[in-house]
Amino acid sequence: MNASKVKTYVLALSALFIAAAIVAFPKVSVDASLKGLTLWWNVVFPSLLPFFIVAELLIGFGIVTFIGVLFEPIMRPIFKVPGVGGFVFVMGLVSGFPAGAKFSARLYEEKKLTKTEAERLASFTNFSNPLFLFGVVAYEFFHHPALGIVFALAHYLGNICVGLIMRFYKPHEADESNGKDTKRLFYGKVIIDALRKMHEERLKNRKPVGKMLGDAVQSSVSTLLMVGGFIILFSVLNQLLASLNGTEIIGFLIQYIFAFVHFTPELSQAIVPGLFEITVGADKISSVSAPLIEQVILTSFILGFSGLSIQAQVTSILSESNLSAKPFFIGRFFHGTFAAIFAYFLFQLVDIDTIGSRNAIPVFGFFEHHQTLMSFVPYLQAGSIITLTTLIIYILSKAVVISKQNPR
């Protein structure tokens, strides 16, 4: 039996098993779906939509080309990607998952990146949102706002290290700088050169502003609908795994690794949900009675690993542009490892007892453990209104396009 047939049978059996589990545990499946939908509807969609739309417009108006010229002397020698990678890096850091993958694929489609450069860039430009790190993980889960500094620095430094490693991805391919001497950009007319190229890029895009805005909204909403589907799916899978005692089995295997590094055995059960979804995993780890430094190290690892839910989102986005997700997968293991190591050393530098306090003012907080997103009602109400309004506009615009394509 060849490998292709084995793969077919495994995928078919897996799908049948999941379907049977959903039928066997209908209440668990529905409750998990509602939790995932609530998270996406109230928070993920309204928080990511503005970044996605604005980024699409920045690409269309040529501002990304402007940034690319300025960042060329930094991104090319350090990460072996063009200067436009600086834009993707910043947008990924500010807006969170899966922005880095979306914009890497988008710039590849615009031919501003080669296939190798896009895959390389996507491997280290996907981050957890800083508001999530400071407000949700550090404040709501661990009750120590000062830990936000540890989580954020470990997370960002870990991803930068991934970028330094991934510069050696496909090292034998020719450098696509087209013989440009990037050192010259440090001198003379760099700003003028960047402005000129930005203008040329805008002129090449002949779409009216209204058309560009409509396309930006449609592209962003389509991506976020896909993200929502994955959030709901993996929320269900996570709960089904727990109902079938899969969490205990995997945790039992991980316990041997934890025994080797002298970690609290109970943490082996808590980390398993984090391998699927980072929010649930961070919550579980923070609730285990264990030394704080062990909790911080494991949480930093799962934040870097990103969870299978986010990895599936990134894979879907990259595959639409015929980009390989293998560098991203490899980068997640490196990111988790580096983040855990950085967290260990950074933890020694932060005085949690004097800086961290439950009475400190949170940077951002609207998660309440398992009561999903109900501690910040005004924000949630605004988020749901934004989501509903945008989806109505999206549906109407799609209907107009279809009617024009199929006139009676």
Side-chain angles (χ1 to χ4, degrees):
M1 187 180 296
N2 58 39
S4 178
K5 288 184 178 180
V6 172
K7 182 178 180 180
T8 299
Y9 298 150
V10 169
L11 292 175
L13 289 174
S14 299
L16 286 173
F17 178 78
I18 293 172
I22 292 174
V23 173
F25 298 94
K27 186 177 186 305
V28 171
S29 301
V30 172
D31 290 344
S33 296
L34 289 175
K35 285 184 179 180
L37 177 62
T38 302
L39 172 63
W40 175 79
W41 182 272
N42 289 321
V43 178
V44 175
F45 188 99
S47 63
L48 287 182
L49 181 66
F51 287 102
F52 282 7
I53 293 176
V54 170
E56 290 284 346
L57 294 177
L58 291 176
I59 294 172
F61 292 150
I63 296 176
V64 174
T65 302
F66 173 83
I67 295 173
V69 175
L70 297 182
F71 276 82
E72 185 75 15
I74 300 174
M75 301 301 292
R76 180 72 68 180
I78 297 178
F79 300 112
K80 208 173 179 182
V81 295
V84 292
F87 165 79
V88 179
F89 185 89
V90 173
M91 291 301 296
L93 189 151
V94 173
S95 57
F97 298 108
K102 175 177 173 58
F103 301 137
S104 296
R106 180 75 167 82
L107 293 178
Y108 170 67
E109 293 170 356
E110 292 282 324
K111 302 188 184 302
K112 292 180 173 60
L113 296 170
T114 65
K115 189 174 188 291
T116 299
E117 289 169 345
E119 293 169 353
R120 189 180 292 149
L121 185 62
S123 69
F124 71 95
T125 53
N126 290 275
F127 297 87
S128 288
N129 189 298
L131 299 179
F132 172 76
L133 295 175
F134 279 90
V136 177
V137 179
Y139 179 78
E140 290 290 342
F141 291 166
F142 283 89
H143 309 322
H144 287 294
L147 283 178
I149 301 172
V150 177
F151 288 129
L153 287 178
H155 193 68
Y156 301 149
L157 291 174
N159 229 1
I160 290 174
C161 289
V162 172
L164 295 176
I165 291 176
M166 285 302 167
R167 76 184 307 275
F168 300 105
Y169 171 65
K170 294 184 178 180
H172 302 297
E173 290 194 6
D175 189 357
E176 298 295 334
S177 57
N178 297 323
K180 294 179 182 177
D181 183 7
T182 55
K183 293 183 179 179
R184 71 176 180 82
L185 297 176
F186 284 113
Y187 310 99
K189 302 179 179 180
V190 57
I191 301 296
I192 296 176
D193 187 33
L195 290 171
R196 177 180 58 79
K197 290 188 176 181
M198 179 182 74
H199 178 63
E200 291 174 353
E201 182 67 23
R202 190 192 69 82
L203 291 180
K204 284 196 299 183
N205 192 338
R206 300 181 179 275
K207 294 181 181 178
V209 175
K211 173 64 174 173
M212 291 176 60
L213 181 60
D215 290 346
V217 172
Q218 291 198 26
S219 173
S220 301
V221 173
S222 296
T223 300
L224 289 172
L225 286 173
M226 177 273 298
V227 169
F230 278 113
I231 290 175
I232 295 171
L233 173 62
F234 278 89
S235 178
V236 172
L237 292 179
N238 200 4
Q239 291 300 316
L240 288 176
L241 186 69
S243 299
L244 294 169
N245 297 323
T247 301
E248 295 181 6
I249 297 173
I250 299 175
F252 179 77
L253 299 176
I254 296 176
Q255 187 173 331
Y256 288 101
I257 301 176
F258 283 14
F260 179 75
V261 294
H262 304 291
F263 270 30
T264 304
E266 288 75 13
L267 287 171
S268 62
Q269 299 290 331
I271 195 176
V272 175
L275 300 178
F276 287 84
E277 210 284 316
I278 57 176
T279 305
V280 177
D283 186 15
K284 294 285 187 183
I285 292 172
S286 67
S287 62
V288 174
S289 179
L292 184 58
I293 187 170
E294 294 180 9
Q295 294 175 311
V296 170
I297 290 173
L298 289 181
T299 301
S300 294
F301 174 81
I302 66 170
L303 290 172
F305 181 71
S306 305
L308 297 178
S309 174
I310 291 172
Q311 292 184 21
Q313 296 170 28
V314 171
T315 301
S316 177
I317 292 172
L318 295 179
S319 62
E320 288 181 0
S321 300
N322 198 31
L323 295 173
S324 172
K326 289 182 181 179
F328 175 79
F329 291 142
I330 295 171
R332 291 318 91 215
F333 286 101
F334 279 119
H335 190 189
T337 303
F338 285 132
I341 294 172
F342 280 121
Y344 171 78
F345 289 105
L346 290 169
F347 185 86
Q348 319 297 328
L349 304 177
V350 178
D351 191 344
I352 302 298
D353 293 329
T354 58
I355 300 177
S357 172
R358 189 67 174 93
N359 297 322
I361 299 175
V363 179
F364 182 73
F366 47 78
F367 281 80
E368 188 62 31
H369 294 276
H370 295 84
Q371 298 300 319
T372 312
L373 311 175
M374 294 308 295
S375 62
F376 205 79
V377 176
Y379 179 86
L380 296 180
Q381 292 175 341
S384 61
I385 292 173
I386 292 172
T387 302
L388 179 60
T389 304
T390 306
L391 289 178
I392 292 174
I393 295 173
Y394 174 76
I395 293 171
L396 292 175
S397 64
K398 277 289 187 181
V400 170
V401 172
I402 294 174
S403 65
K404 289 182 178 180
Q405 292 176 345
N406 301 287
R408 294 184 178 179

